[in-house]
Amino acid sequence: MQTEQAFRFGEFQLLKQRRLLLENDRAVRLGSRALDLLTALLEHAGDIVSKEALMAYAWPTAVVEETSLRFHLSSLRKALGDGQQGRRFIANVSGRGYCFVAPVQRLQQASDTDAPTKNSAHNLPVRLTRIIGRSDLIQRMAHLLSERRFVTIAGPGGMGKSTLAMAVCEDVLPHYPDGVWFVDLSPLSDGALAVGALATALGISVDESDPMRRVGEFLKEKRLLIFLDNCEHLIDAAAALAENLLASGRQVHVLTTSREPLSACGEWLQRLPPLEVPARSNPSDPSVSSVPVTAAQALASSAVQLFVERATASQDSFELTDQDAPGVVDICRQLDGMPLAIELAAAHINAFGVSGLLAQMERRLPLGGQVRRAGPRRHQTLRALLDWSFDLLSTPDQRLLGRLAVFTGPFTMDAAMAVCADPQRRGPEILLGMESLASKSLVLVLPRAGEMHYRLLDTTRSYAMERLEAMGEQGTLRERQAHYLCEVMAQAERDWTVLGRAEWIATYSPFVDDVRAVLDWTFTTPEGALAAVRLTSLFFTMANALSFQSELQQRLEWAMERYSALGVQEPALEFRLCALTSLSLTLASGPNARADALLTRARALADQMAAPQQQVEAIHQLFSAAVYAGNSALARIHADALSERATRCTDVAVALAADRAQAHVSLLMGELAAARRLMERVMRYPMLQMPAGPPYPMSQSVSMRMLLARVLWLEGLAEQALDVAQQAQQLSASENTFSQGLVMSWAICPVALWTGDLQQARAAIERLKQDALRYDFALQGSYADEYERVLGHRSGAPVETSVAGDRAQGRGRVSVSGPLADFMATLGEAFLSDVAVARMESGQAPWCAPEVLRSLGERARAAGRDDEAVSFFERSLGMARQQGALAWELRAASSMARLFRDQGRPAQGKDLLRTVFERFTEGFETADLMAAARLLGELDPAARPHS
C-alpha cells in the first residue's frame, strides 16, 4: 500500500498528497492558494519563510502583489481559528516573513488514494472562515433536515444564516447521492425568476411557459437537497417554490434562509440565536458594567472568539489581555452577538484599539434599553454599525462602495476599475480603495485560480445599493458595465479554442450573474440599450458552454426586437443577431421556417456589407441548416461555395470550414473514401473558430470523429467504428451538452444498434432522454424516442407508432424527417418510412440508399414478388459496391442469399455471400456478421466460415 506525507498540528492534519486538510477527521474546505501557503509553512515549521518564497510557492508561474499573499494568509488563519482560545499557528515576523510557530508532527501514513470513493455532486462555494459557536446547532439542523425535509433558518440580517446553512449542507452532503444544490436568490428582483435560478443551479433548461413542470420531472426520482438562500425579498415565490419542490419527489429536501418564516406548507422553523456573550452582573440594568472578566473567561464565549479572530486578521499583533477583555465583552454585548456586526467592528481595531472602539460605538449605536423587541433592535444595531463604518470611510471609498453594488456576484479588480472608476482617475484610487474596503470587512476577498476575486456580502450590498441609488449613478454604471462585459465576452470567444474547458469555465462563468443583471436593466439611453443588445449577441458562447439554451433563445429574440425598435443601422450586429438566433433555433428544434428566414436575412446582410468573413459565416450556417434539414444536394452547393472561398484567401479558418463541410457532405453523398480522407485531414488542423462568428458548439475534433465512426462502420470496420465513436463521446464531455447529445444521436446510438450492442445503445438512449428533458432539446428528444422504439422491437415488443406530427409537438418533440428518417431506415425494415423512401428516390440521402433499397426488396419478397425483390437487391448491391460500403453490401448479399435459398438455389446464395463475407477483417462478433455466418452454415453445413 502506498504511503503519503502528513502533518499533524493541534486538531488538524494535512494530507499533502491528497491536498486535504482535516479537523478532527472532518474535511476543512480551503482555497487552493491558502492550501499551498499552509503546505509551504508546514514544510518549514519553526523557520521564517520570506514573503517572496511563499509567493513563489503558491504562484509559481505568476507575478502577484503582496496584498494577494496577505489576503490568502488571512483566509487561512480564519479557517484554522488562529488567535482563538489560545491557538497560535502563524506569526508575522516584521520585515522578514511568516513562521509556523505551533508544534508540528510529521507522519508517513497509508494512503487510500487508489480506493474508490463516491462523492455527492454539489455547487457549494468554498467556505473561507471557520464556524464559531454553532457546532451543536449544525448537528441538530442536520438531524432535523433528515426528519422534516423542509427547514427554514430565520433571523435578522448579519446573524450568519447563510454561513450556518452552508456548514449544514457540507455536513449532510454524504447523505444525498444526487447532490446538494445552492441557489442564491439575492441577485433576483422578480420572484418569477426563482425557478430559472434553480434550474441553472441544477444544470437544466426549462420551458418559460411552465418551468416548474420540467424541474419536477427532473427531480422526481432523485434524493437531493436544495438550499435556497436569501428568500426574504421574494417570500411568496420562495414559499411556492419550496412547496413545489417537496411535491416533486419524496426524497427531495429543502433548506432555506430568510429574515422571516416562509409560512409554507411543511416548513419547520429554526430561529438563529446570536452568538453567546458573557452575562451582565445585573441583567435587568443594561447600563451597569459587567463584572470583571479575564481574557480566558471572555474567550469561553463564541462572540468574543469571533471578535478576537477578526481583530487578529486585521492586526497581526493583537492579543486579548485581561485588561482589554471587559471592553471586548461590552463591544460584543452592544452588538447583540451578531456575527457580521462583530466582524465589522473588529476590523477597526488597528485604528482605535479596544477602548477607542468601545467609545466610538457607545456614541453611535442604540443602547440596549432604548428598544425592547430584539428583532428590530438588532436591525437598528446593524444599520447603525454600517452607517458608522460608512462614515469612517474617505469620500472616494464611500463612492467606491456604493458603485460596487452593481456587481451581483464575484468580480475582479479589472471589473471594478472599468465600471467604478471615473475615466480620468482610473487605477491607483480603485486599488487603494479595494484594499481599504477589504481590510474593513466591507468587501470579501475570494481566492480563485489566476487572480483575486471580490464580493459584497448580501447585507452590505443591500446597504451599498441604497447609497448608490441616492447617488443617482446606477444607469451610468450599468452602461459602463455593459461595455465592459462586451469586452469580456468577446475575449471569452477568442479564448474558447485556447483554454481548456475547465479553465475557460473557471475564468468566465463568474461573469454570468452580472451579464444577466445588465440585460435585465431597463436602459433609458439609446447607447445603453444598444450595448445591451451587443452584449446579448456575445452571450452565445457562454450560454452554450453552460447549457443555457432556452434562456439564450429568449434573450436573442428580445435583442432582435430591441434592435429593430432602436432604428439603428449596424449591419454587422444585425448579421450576428440573425445568424445566432437562427443557429440557436435550429440546434434546439431542428429546421424551421423562422430559422430559415433569419439565415436568409443574414446572407443578404453579408452580401450588402461585401464582408468576406461574414459571407463565409453565412454560407457555413446555410450549409449546417441544409444538413439538419437533410438536404444533401443543397449542402453540397454550400460546401462547394466554401471551398471556392477558401481558394481565394489565405485564412486557415476558411480552409478548415470548407474541408469540414466537404467531409460531412461526402459522407451524406456516399463518397466514403473521400469523406474518410477529408475527416482525417480536418483532425490535423489546429483548433480554430469561424472567421466572423462565435465558436461552433462542436469542435472539429469531436465532429469529425462522430462522422468518421459512421464511415468506418459502413466500410466494414465495426471495431474501429466503435472505438472512434467512444473517442468522440469522451471528447464531447469537455465541450457542452449539445455536442454530447449530437454525438449520441449521430454516432453512439446508430453504431451500437448497427453492431448489436444493445447495452451501450440503451445507456446512450437513456442519457439522451435525460438531457432532452433537462435542457429542453426537442430534436435530441425525438432521436431518443425513435431509437427506443428500435430497442423495444429487438426485445420482442411490437413496433410502436412513431412520435410524429401533432403528437410530436405535444410531447415537445419534432416530427421524424430528414436525417432521423434516414437513420431509422437503417435499423430494420419495420422502421422504413415513406419519408425515407421519398428521400432515397429524390437523391437526398445517398449514404443510406443501399439499405433503403434492400428493405424495399424484403417487403417485395414478403409479398411474394420475387422478381421485384431481386431487382431491389441488385440495385442495393451495385450502389453499395460503388460507395465502398461493405456493411450495406453484406446486408444486401444476405438478403439475396436467403431468397436464393428459398428458391432452391443455395449454392448460388452461398457463393455470393461468401465472396462478401471473406472481405471482412474484423467485427466478427457483431450482429450482421454473426447472422451472415449462421446463414452460410445453413447454405453449406460442411463449410462453415471461421471467425
Side-chain angles (χ1 to χ4, degrees):
M1 179 178 289
Q2 294 182 345
T3 61
E4 66 176 319
Q5 187 176 11
F7 301 90
R8 186 185 299 280
F9 55 97
E11 312 97 280
F12 295 95
Q13 185 175 6
L14 175 66
L15 306 178
K16 183 178 177 182
Q17 180 180 340
R18 279 177 278 178
R19 294 179 60 79
L20 177 64
L21 178 65
L22 301 174
E23 180 182 13
N24 295 323
D25 296 325
R26 293 185 59 174
V28 177
R29 300 182 70 206
L30 199 62
S32 61
R33 301 298 187 196
L35 194 62
D36 288 337
L37 293 172
L38 176 60
T39 303
L41 289 168
L42 288 171
E43 288 179 342
H44 300 86
D47 298 328
I48 298 173
V49 185
S50 69
K51 298 172 184 177
E52 293 76 16
L54 286 173
M55 288 189 285
Y57 191 97
W59 292 272
T61 61
V63 178
V64 297
E65 298 179 358
E66 189 178 325
T67 54
S68 297
L69 175 63
R70 291 203 301 269
F71 287 141
H72 285 288
L73 281 171
S74 176
S75 67
L76 173 59
R77 282 173 159 166
K78 289 180 181 179
L80 297 176
D82 200 352
Q84 293 181 34
Q85 298 179 324
R87 289 175 175 163
R88 198 64 173 164
F89 296 121
I90 301 171
N92 180 11
V93 183
S94 181
R96 299 182 62 190
Y98 295 86
C99 178
F100 198 91
V101 296
V104 177
Q105 183 181 6
R106 294 174 181 263
L107 306 170
Q108 289 289 334
Q109 62 181 41
S111 170
D112 60 353
T113 55
D114 295 329
T117 58
K118 178 174 177 59
N119 297 318
S120 296
H122 68 87
N123 65 339
L124 300 173
V126 174
R127 181 163 48 85
L128 302 179
T129 57
R130 292 162 52 85
I131 301 293
I132 296 176
R134 305 292 198 194
S135 56
D136 290 343
L137 184 56
I138 290 171
Q139 293 180 11
R140 291 203 305 271
M141 289 285 300
H143 179 70
L144 191 60
L145 258 179
S146 66
E147 290 191 336
R148 302 294 178 179
R149 288 188 62 205
F150 175 19
V151 179
T152 292
I153 302 175
M159 194 58 75
K161 300 183 295 295
S162 298
T163 303
L164 173 67
M166 203 71 70
V168 172
C169 287
E170 293 174 358
D171 191 73
V172 302
L173 189 58
H175 302 293
Y176 294 96
D178 294 308
V180 175
W181 303 101
F182 165 66
V183 185
D184 184 7
L185 299 183
S186 63
L188 307 184
S189 58
D190 184 350
L193 302 175
V195 179
L198 170 61
T200 298
L202 293 172
I204 63 177
S205 294
V206 294
D207 183 353
E208 187 180 18
S209 62
D210 187 9
M212 195 60 218
R213 177 186 64 83
R214 197 168 295 275
V215 170
E217 291 173 349
F218 174 73
L219 297 176
K220 189 174 181 180
E221 301 299 330
K222 291 184 168 54
R223 177 174 175 78
L224 47 69
L225 172 64
I226 305 295
F227 168 26
L228 304 176
D229 197 20
N230 301 299
C231 297
E232 54 273 348
H233 65 303
L234 303 174
I235 199 79
D236 293 335
L241 177 56
E243 291 177 351
N244 285 329
L245 288 172
L246 294 178
S248 65
R250 295 182 178 180
Q251 299 191 85
V252 175
H253 291 212
V254 180
L255 175 64
T256 65
T257 65
S258 176
R259 296 186 184 183
E260 60 180 295
L262 273 60
S263 300
C265 182
E267 180 183 28
W268 190 267
L269 186 64
Q270 172 65 60
R271 295 279 186 185
L272 184 57
L275 294 177
E276 180 189 5
V277 181
R280 296 179 184 274
S281 58
N282 185 356
S284 64
D285 185 358
S287 65
V288 177
S289 178
S290 60
V291 295
V293 292
T294 65
Q297 291 169 334
L299 283 168
S301 74
S302 54
V304 174
Q305 291 172 26
L306 177 61
F307 181 95
V308 172
E309 179 192 84
R310 188 63 192 89
T312 303
S314 179
Q315 182 181 343
D316 185 66
S317 61
F318 178 82
E319 288 188 16
L320 185 64
T321 64
D322 290 345
Q323 180 180 354
D324 285 336
V328 171
V329 169
D330 281 344
I331 289 171
C332 293
R333 184 177 295 119
Q334 286 198 39
L335 298 176
D336 291 320
M338 297 174 66
L340 177 58
I342 291 171
E343 288 203 31
L344 289 172
H348 295 286
I349 196 71
N350 59 342
F352 297 104
V354 173
S355 60
L357 182 59
L358 181 60
Q360 287 283 328
M361 292 175 56
E362 286 176 342
R363 287 196 295 268
R364 298 297 300 265
L365 302 186
L367 295 178
Q370 291 179 308
V371 181
R372 292 187 178 180
R373 294 177 63 225
R377 175 181 138 62
R378 291 196 178 104
H379 287 158
Q380 250 188 332
T381 299
L382 183 57
R383 175 68 191 213
L385 190 64
L386 286 167
D387 284 336
W388 175 60
S389 297
F390 187 84
D391 291 343
L392 288 174
L393 297 175
S394 66
T395 300
D397 287 356
Q398 289 178 346
R399 184 168 57 246
L400 175 59
L401 180 62
R403 290 176 175 180
L404 291 175
V406 299
F407 296 108
T408 59
F411 57 92
T412 63
M413 184 67 76
D414 285 344
M417 287 185 177
V419 178
C420 300
D422 293 325
Q424 68 275 18
R425 301 178 66 184
R426 182 172 297 184
E429 181 178 293
I430 298 296
L431 284 169
L432 294 173
M434 290 294 293
E435 186 170 356
S436 172
L437 295 175
S439 69
K440 297 173 177 61
S441 291
L442 293 168
V443 169
L444 185 65
V445 182
L446 306 174
R448 294 280 177 91
E451 63 177 322
M452 302 297 293
H453 283 67
Y454 306 86
R455 186 177 185 270
L456 297 185
L457 292 173
D458 298 322
T459 303
T460 308
R461 182 173 179 269
S462 297
Y463 178 85
M465 183 59 74
E466 291 180 21
R467 293 289 184 168
L468 177 60
E469 290 171 352
M471 291 158 55
E473 293 185 340
Q474 187 167 181
T476 301
L477 293 173
R478 289 296 185 193
E479 189 170 329
R480 288 186 199 169
Q481 194 175 23
H483 289 295
Y484 168 72
L485 289 171
C486 281
E487 296 176 6
V488 172
M489 291 296 104
Q491 184 62 47
E493 284 192 359
R494 293 189 290 271
D495 283 347
W496 180 254
T497 55
V498 178
L499 304 178
R501 186 174 187 270
E503 184 180 359
W504 191 94
I505 294 293
T507 301
Y508 292 108
S509 62
F511 294 98
V512 169
D513 284 338
D514 285 334
V515 170
R516 286 169 164 164
V518 169
L519 296 181
D520 290 338
W521 177 257
T522 302
F523 288 93
T524 57
T525 66
E527 294 80 8
L530 189 60
V533 170
R534 185 170 286 108
L535 178 59
T536 304
S537 75
L538 291 163
F539 188 49
F540 181 88
T541 303
M542 178 64 72
N544 271 303
L546 300 179
S547 300
F548 296 158
Q549 281 83 3
S550 180
E551 176 186 353
L552 175 65
Q553 288 181 40
Q554 296 166 23
R555 293 200 183 277
L556 284 171
E557 293 288 2
W558 169 88
M560 293 286 296
E561 294 175 5
R562 194 75 180 101
Y563 177 85
S564 298
L566 287 170
V568 296
Q569 295 296 320
E570 286 202 21
L573 177 57
E574 186 183 355
F575 164 84
R576 186 179 174 95
L577 288 172
C578 289
L580 294 182
T581 305
S582 173
L583 180 59
S584 180
L585 288 168
T586 301
L587 294 182
S589 305
N592 58 83
R594 167 101 170 118
D596 290 345
L598 288 168
L599 200 48
T600 300
R601 173 61 178 162
R603 178 63 192 272
L605 286 165
D607 292 340
Q608 173 188 321
M609 292 185 292
Q613 290 186 336
Q614 279 81 3
Q615 289 172 338
V616 168
E617 171 70 13
I619 295 170
H620 186 268
Q621 288 208 30
L622 286 167
F623 163 79
S624 298
V627 168
Y628 282 107
N631 192 333
S632 302
L634 183 58
R636 167 55 57 83
I637 292 172
H638 294 313
D640 289 344
L642 283 172
S643 296
E644 190 272 334
R645 297 270 176 172
T647 62
R648 292 193 282 116
C649 72
T650 59
D651 191 338
V652 179
V654 179
L656 169 60
D659 281 352
R660 187 169 170 173
Q662 289 289 3
H664 198 155
V665 81
S666 294
L667 166 59
L668 298 180
M669 300 301 290
E671 301 161 1
L672 301 185
R676 184 174 179 181
R677 183 176 62 254
L678 283 163
M679 290 170 189
E680 291 170 346
R681 184 164 80 189
V682 169
M683 286 190 288
R684 292 194 293 269
Y685 274 88
M687 291 293 291
L688 298 170
Q689 63 190 58
M690 290 300 298
Y696 198 70
M698 176 180 281
S699 69
Q700 75 255 26
S701 178
V702 174
S703 66
M704 291 300 101
R705 284 174 172 80
M706 173 184 72
L707 300 175
L708 180 59
R710 287 160 55 188
V711 171
L712 290 169
W713 187 86
L714 291 170
E715 290 181 330
L717 302 170
E719 293 173 12
Q720 294 180 52
L722 285 166
D723 182 58
V724 171
Q726 289 168 359
Q727 290 177 31
Q729 186 177 31
Q730 292 168 1
L731 290 170
S732 71
S734 66
E735 294 192 346
N736 55 67
T737 51
F738 167 78
S739 179
Q740 296 170 46
L742 200 60
V743 167
M744 287 186 286
S745 300
W746 285 9
I748 294 294
C749 286
V751 171
L753 290 170
W754 288 335
T755 58
D757 188 345
L758 301 189
Q759 182 176 355
Q760 184 180 41
R762 187 172 289 106
I765 291 167
E766 185 59 32
R767 173 68 185 275
L768 263 180
K769 288 171 61 179
Q770 291 178 2
D771 285 355
L773 174 64
R774 174 181 271 192
Y775 302 111
D776 199 19
F777 286 150
L779 185 62
Q780 292 180 12
S782 296
Y783 276 88
D785 288 342
E786 294 303 297
Y787 290 150
E788 197 166 41
R789 292 174 59 221
V790 178
L791 275 183
H793 178 62
R794 293 190 183 181
S795 300
V799 177
E800 294 184 2
T801 304
S802 173
V803 179
D806 294 339
R807 183 164 172 253
Q809 296 300 320
R811 289 186 55 179
R813 298 289 191 261
V814 297
S815 58
V816 179
S817 61
L820 180 51
D822 298 338
F823 278 118
M824 293 301 292
T826 68
L827 298 174
E829 297 86 29
F831 303 102
L832 177 64
S833 65
D834 293 342
V835 172
V837 173
R839 287 175 52 73
M840 181 273 296
E841 292 174 341
S842 64
Q844 290 300 314
W847 77 274
C848 64
E851 179 63 359
V852 173
L853 289 167
R854 187 196 68 83
S855 292
L856 290 173
E858 289 288 0
R859 285 184 178 180
R861 176 170 165 253
R865 301 191 301 273
D866 285 3
D867 290 344
E868 185 180 342
V870 169
S871 176
F872 279 123
F873 294 153
E874 288 177 343
R875 288 174 62 192
S876 176
L877 281 166
M879 188 174 290
R881 288 165 180 162
Q882 182 181 6
Q883 293 180 2
L886 187 58
W888 294 153
E889 189 177 350
L890 178 69
R891 287 189 178 183
S894 297
S895 290
M896 185 77 87
R898 280 189 291 269
L899 176 61
F900 287 157
R901 178 199 59 192
D902 294 346
Q903 291 178 339
R905 297 184 289 169
Q908 190 173 351
K910 177 196 70 175
D911 291 342
L912 172 65
L913 182 56
R914 179 176 290 280
T915 299
V916 178
F917 187 95
E918 290 181 344
R919 286 159 54 200
F920 280 85
T921 59
E922 64 180 58
F924 295 104
E925 301 300 319
T926 59
D928 287 352
L929 279 168
M930 288 193 295
R934 288 193 298 271
L935 179 57
L936 281 171
E938 294 172 9
L939 295 170
D940 187 1
R944 295 181 185 274
H946 65 81
S947 58

